[in-house]
Amino acid sequence: MMYNDLDPELMRARQKTMALTTAYAQGYSQSPAKREALLAKILGKIGKNVHFEPTFRCEFGKNISIGNNVLFGPRVGIYTADHAIDKTERHLGGCQAKPVTIGDNTVIGSGSVVTHDISSNVVAYGDPCRVARKITAADKTGYDPTKI
């Protein structure tokens, strides 16, 4: 259903989200708990061990759900709003947004623009972001920091 993107309440919500994503990027040296608290204010649902490399952007955030153990590369945006195509509707502020879910154990590559759901256990990247491949046992490297 279309809504008015020029509505003052929605404009404030977008400004608030921009301020929070900026604070998240600027607080990169803060504790993981503080950064996680900022993400909880931005997103609708956030799982455990979610990490965004700076910078991360989204318009509203409350319609975005992210699973557990998700890694985002730098400069990732999650955009769920579609502006009207018809010029008259677009100039009147016609817009619609859909929920987006990113599944568990997923890696989103640098510079990606996520506009739709991304399944679990995959590597995805691009503009628009697409699943490149599943994460498999072949991705296990045997890394053990105690042996370095």
Side-chain angles (χ1 to χ4, degrees), residues 60-136:
F60 297 109
K62 292 301 179 187
N63 56 344
I64 300 170
S65 298
I66 299 177
N68 296 312
N69 302 308
V70 178
L71 173 63
F72 293 86
R75 300 176 317 282
V76 169
I78 305 175
Y79 296 102
T80 60
D82 293 325
H83 297 281
I85 300 298
D86 177 80
K87 68 178 181 184
T88 303
E89 290 179 350
R90 189 173 61 249
H91 291 295
L92 292 172
C95 203
Q96 60 186 359
K98 60 185 186 273
V100 168
T101 298
I102 297 169
D104 294 339
N105 308 314
T106 293
V107 176
I108 305 293
S110 176
S112 295
V113 177
V114 180
T115 59
H116 60 277
D117 293 348
I118 302 293
S119 57
S120 296
N121 301 303
V122 298
V123 174
Y125 54 85
D127 180 2
C129 190
R130 300 272 189 245
V131 172
R133 65 181 180 84
K134 288 225 172 254
I135 295 173
T136 68

Side-chain angles (χ1 to χ4, degrees), residues 10-22 41-42 59-60 62:
L10 291 176
M11 292 175 82
R12 283 190 298 275
R14 207 171 23 255
Q15 289 171 337
K16 178 181 176 185
T17 302
M18 182 62 75
L20 289 169
T21 57
T22 299
K41 290 179 183 179
I42 298 167
E59 284 186 317
F60 297 109
K62 292 301 179 187

